[in-house]
């Protein structure tokens, strides 16, 4: 399937194509079957009336294209008709929130067939007399008539949605490509800014603000996740999001920025690491190039039919070989890998799927994951245990980290201490951490890299110098 499509896309996203793809994974279905989902609802902070920023539930957006809160969607699987239900907004509420779209405006804006009111939901379902109502166990089913609650299947839809969302349609690919391109430009702006102000005192939050501004200026009004702007030793903290410290000086100091904007719910995930001084020290350059070599090894081999676990193993092999070469690890490489001592420096997976969520469908809950025994967020060991397919979008993100907790866990254990050269480790410890992460599309020939921010040492230094 070609991923060539004109961008920018029209306001009316072709989400009906997503439904038709979903139906293939849900089939066969009984006669008079419905899908019912209720979108997310606006929430307020704690016990106040301060409204929190709303972001639509991903599965609901996948089928509706609606980013606003309070909507419902009903789909007849028998006649392939999609019914959108907007929230009921009182006249008083309209004084505060504005006048809602008319039915005609909704039909122009969204890829649906009919508009119902919330008052019509019960009568519509009673008239349809569904044999099954597919929904999610996380979706509010309060509008489904009591008579038909026993017809609810809250299990099967999720598996079909996960399978459908795992590979992307051409229009989705365009959204993801644009999101990654703009995020890449935001990363480049941060490199240039730090190069320009390398002799000034800077705070991590300044870089976060600049990143958000560049994204927002180009249509990515929301971040796919909280940006990580980790400087100095904090670059070894995987999900450091405080972003409130002074960026330290020093010849080895690096800034690790893991950040990606989101365009109409389609996200990106990009990490770049660069020197605060504008020039990599010898130690920083050595570690950086090892990580880059590991990433390039994957990018040279990744294609449909490849197992993700093999790509992770390739990263581990590359990192271990190089760490032995520079003297941080001591011993035979095969033994070091089998024992797992490399986890003192590399303690996460090599990548994950990307789409409507940063860590998109394709996780352990869908049964395509094995636990590699790494330090991961609970329930989020996103290492594929099945072959990669064309039109999957994934990240490739190896790293090396000098985190005192991790190093001490291994190097102070008498069973493993002899594998570590502490003199060498202390030489490289000021580097903090390096991660290089690209968002890529699996193509028939191999891959397309959506991430265009520079990652070669000479290119980063040249950008920071300019």
């Amino acid at each position: 399937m070609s991923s060539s499509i004109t961008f920018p896309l029209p306001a009316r996203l072709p989400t009906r194509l997503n439904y038709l793809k979903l139906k293939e994974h849900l089939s066969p279905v009984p006669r008079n079957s419905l899908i019912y989902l209720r979108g997310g609802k606006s929430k307020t902070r704690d016990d106040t009336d301060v409204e929190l920023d709303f972001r639509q539930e991903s599965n609901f957006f996948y089928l509706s294209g609606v980013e606003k809160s309070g909507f419902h969607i009903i789909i007849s699987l028998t006649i392939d008709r999609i019914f959108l239900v907007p929230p009921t907004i009182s006249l008083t509420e309209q004084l505060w929130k504005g006048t809602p779209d008319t039915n005609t405006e909704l039909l122009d804006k969204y890829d649906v067939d009919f508009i119902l009111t919330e008052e019509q939901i019960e009568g519509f379902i009673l008239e349809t007399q569904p044999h099954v109502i597919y929904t999610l166990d996380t979706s509010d089913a309060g509008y489904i008539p009591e008579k038909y609650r026993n017809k609810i299947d809250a299990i099967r839809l999720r598996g079909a949605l996960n399978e459908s969302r795992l590979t992307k349609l051409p229009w989705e690919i365009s959204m993801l490509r644009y999101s990654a391109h703009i995020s890449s430009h935001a990363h480049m702006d941060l490199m240039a800014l730090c190069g320009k102000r390398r002799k000034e005192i800077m705070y991590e939050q300044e870089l976060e603000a600049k990143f958000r501004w560049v994204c927002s200026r180009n249509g990515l009004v929301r971040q796919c996740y909280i940006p990580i702007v980790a400087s100095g030793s904090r670059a070894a903290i995987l999900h450091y999001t405080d972003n409130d410290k002074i960026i330290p000086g020093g010849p080895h100091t690096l800034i690790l920025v893991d950040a990606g904007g989101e365009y109409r719910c389609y996200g990106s995930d990009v990490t770049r690491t660069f020197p605060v001084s504008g020039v990599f020290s010898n130690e920083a350059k050595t570690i950086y190039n090892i990580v880059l070599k590991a990433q390039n090894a994957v990018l040279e081999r990744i294609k449909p039919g490849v197992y993700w676990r093999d790509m992770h193993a390739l990263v581990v092999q590359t990192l271990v070989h190089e760490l032995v070469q520079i003297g941080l690890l001591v011993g035979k490489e095969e033994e070091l890998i089998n024992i797992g001592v490399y986890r003192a420096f590399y303690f996460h997976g090599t990548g994950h799927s990307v789409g409507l969520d940063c860590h998109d469908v394709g996780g352990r809950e869908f049964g395509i994951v094995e636990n590699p025994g790494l330090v991961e967020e609970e329930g989020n060991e996103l290492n594929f245990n099945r072959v990669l397919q064309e039109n999957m979008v994934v990240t490739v993100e190896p790293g090396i980290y000098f985190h005192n907790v991790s190093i001490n866990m291994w190097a102070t254990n008498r069973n493993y201490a002899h594998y570590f050269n502490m003199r060498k480790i202390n030489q490289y410890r000021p580097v903090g951490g390096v991660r290089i992460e690209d968002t890529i599309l699996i193509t028939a020939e191999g891959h397309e890299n959506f991430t265009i921010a520079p990652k070669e040492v000479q290119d980063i230094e040249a950008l920071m110098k300019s």
Side-chain angles (χ1 to χ4, degrees):
M1 181 182 294
S2 172
S3 62
S4 177
I5 194 166
T6 302
F7 195 88
L9 291 170
R12 192 176 194 257
L13 297 177
T15 51
R16 177 183 299 274
L17 298 176
N18 290 352
Y19 155 65
L20 294 174
K21 183 182 178 186
L22 168 67
K23 186 179 179 181
E24 293 178 3
H25 295 294
L26 197 58
S27 295
V29 296
R31 183 172 56 87
N32 286 2
S33 298
L34 298 177
I35 293 174
Y36 169 81
L37 287 178
R38 187 170 189 182
K41 295 181 284 186
S42 296
K43 297 180 180 179
T44 56
R45 189 180 67 204
D46 302 322
D47 58 348
T48 74
D49 60 357
V50 176
E51 192 173 345
L52 296 174
D53 183 41
F54 174 78
R55 200 276 191 182
Q56 185 60 270
E57 193 275 328
S58 295
N59 289 304
F60 188 86
F61 181 87
Y62 183 74
L63 294 176
S64 70
V66 176
E67 293 188 74
K68 295 184 176 182
S69 65
F71 280 73
H72 316 241
I73 193 169
I74 304 173
I75 303 176
S76 170
L77 291 155
T78 304
I79 59 175
D80 292 329
R81 292 293 181 263
I82 304 174
F83 301 81
L84 186 65
V85 185
T88 302
I89 301 178
S90 67
L91 293 176
T92 301
E93 191 175 357
Q94 290 180 35
L95 296 175
W96 295 93
K97 303 295 290 183
T99 305
D101 291 329
T102 65
N103 288 358
T104 299
E105 289 171 331
L106 290 171
L107 290 171
D108 287 340
K109 188 178 292 186
Y110 303 113
D111 198 5
V112 299
D113 299 296
F114 302 101
I115 306 298
L116 298 175
T117 66
E118 289 184 321
E119 291 74 17
Q120 292 174 315
I121 293 177
E122 180 175 2
F124 175 82
I125 293 177
L126 291 173
E127 183 178 344
T128 303
Q129 299 180 5
H131 288 81
V132 179
I133 301 175
Y134 296 105
T135 189
L136 298 174
D137 56 0
T138 53
S139 186
D140 182 357
Y143 273 80
I144 296 176
E146 187 69 33
K147 179 180 178 180
Y148 284 94
R149 297 286 173 86
N150 63 343
K151 302 294 185 181
I152 291 176
D153 181 338
I155 298 175
R156 193 171 167 207
L157 181 60
R158 186 174 300 280
L161 277 166
N162 286 353
E163 184 67 34
S164 185
R165 285 175 52 189
L166 189 56
T167 57
K168 275 61 178 180
L169 293 173
W171 74 268
E172 296 181 283
I173 290 170
S174 291
M175 305 281 273
L176 291 162
R177 181 186 293 112
Y178 182 74
S179 182
H181 279 190
I182 296 303
S183 297
S184 296
H185 282 289
H187 278 274
M188 288 187 275
D189 273 26
L190 296 195
M191 293 178 191
L193 177 64
C194 287
K196 181 180 179 180
R197 297 183 56 188
R198 59 183 175 272
K199 295 183 179 180
E200 302 176 24
I201 294 176
M202 288 189 67
Y203 286 83
E204 294 164 342
Q205 63 260 36
E206 294 180 66
L207 301 189
E208 178 183 355
K210 178 70 171 181
F211 190 93
R212 289 178 180 271
W213 182 80
V214 174
C215 287
S216 185
R217 184 181 60 176
N218 291 280
L220 280 61
V221 298
R222 182 179 291 108
Q223 293 297 295
C224 191
Y225 50 96
I226 300 175
I228 296 166
V229 183
S231 60
S233 61
R234 293 176 290 276
I237 303 172
L238 295 185
H239 282 185
Y240 169 82
T241 56
D242 290 348
N243 304 342
D244 60 356
K245 306 296 190 301
I246 292 177
I247 297 172
H252 304 298
T253 302
L254 300 177
I255 305 172
L256 186 155
V257 180
D258 185 337
E262 182 178 278
Y263 183 71
R264 300 181 74 176
C265 291
Y266 282 90
S268 59
D269 195 353
V270 177
T271 305
R272 287 295 182 264
T273 308
F274 51 93
V276 67
S277 67
V279 178
F280 287 88
S281 69
N282 288 334
E283 285 81 0
K285 184 187 298 184
T286 297
I287 298 302
Y288 185 92
N289 281 331
I290 290 174
V291 176
L292 183 59
K293 184 174 183 178
Q295 192 199 46
N296 285 336
V298 172
L299 294 178
E300 289 170 3
R301 293 166 177 79
I302 199 165
K303 62 182 179 180
V306 167
Y307 280 94
W308 190 251
R309 61 173 179 258
D310 293 336
M311 296 297 94
H312 178 72
L314 178 60
V315 165
V316 170
Q317 291 164 10
T318 305
L319 295 181
V320 168
H321 175 75
E322 296 298 326
L323 291 176
V324 168
Q325 291 299 305
I326 65 172
L328 268 71
L329 289 177
V330 179
K332 295 182 178 179
E333 294 175 20
E334 184 177 358
E335 182 181 0
L336 296 172
I337 292 172
N338 290 337
I339 294 173
V341 294
Y342 63 87
R343 294 185 195 137
F345 308 103
Y346 181 49
F347 37 81
H348 62 76
T350 297
H352 53 82
S353 60
V354 179
L356 288 170
D357 293 299
C358 174
H359 293 163
D360 206 34
V361 294
R364 181 174 57 185
E365 71 280 0
F366 188 47
I368 61 172
V369 164
E370 65 176 358
N371 183 347
L374 304 177
V375 178
E376 296 279 2
E377 293 180 85
E378 184 177 353
N380 196 34
E381 297 88 349
L382 293 170
N383 295 274
F384 292 105
N385 192 29
R386 72 188 230 181
V387 296
L388 294 172
Q389 298 171 242
E390 184 179 358
N391 295 328
M392 285 181 174
V393 176
V394 301
T395 65
V396 181
E397 50 178 308
I400 292 176
Y401 311 93
F402 294 89
H403 196 299
N404 291 336
V405 171
S406 177
I407 292 173
N408 291 340
M409 284 171 58
W410 287 90
T412 61
N413 186 313
R414 64 181 183 180
N415 294 319
Y416 306 116
H418 60 283
Y419 294 112
F420 296 91
N421 183 335
M422 293 307 299
R423 182 182 64 82
K424 278 289 185 179
I425 289 173
N426 290 332
Q427 176 186 344
Y428 286 94
R429 198 188 294 262
V431 171
V434 172
R435 181 164 64 255
I436 306 171
E437 178 179 19
D438 292 348
T439 298
I440 69 169
L441 168 71
I442 305 300
T443 65
E445 298 78 20
H447 78 278
E448 175 191 343
N449 198 331
F450 288 168
T451 310
I452 58 176
K455 55 184 176 180
E456 296 289 342
V457 165
Q458 63 270 23
D459 295 333
I460 292 173
E461 291 181 344
L463 176 57
M464 297 187 73
K465 184 177 180 180
S466 64

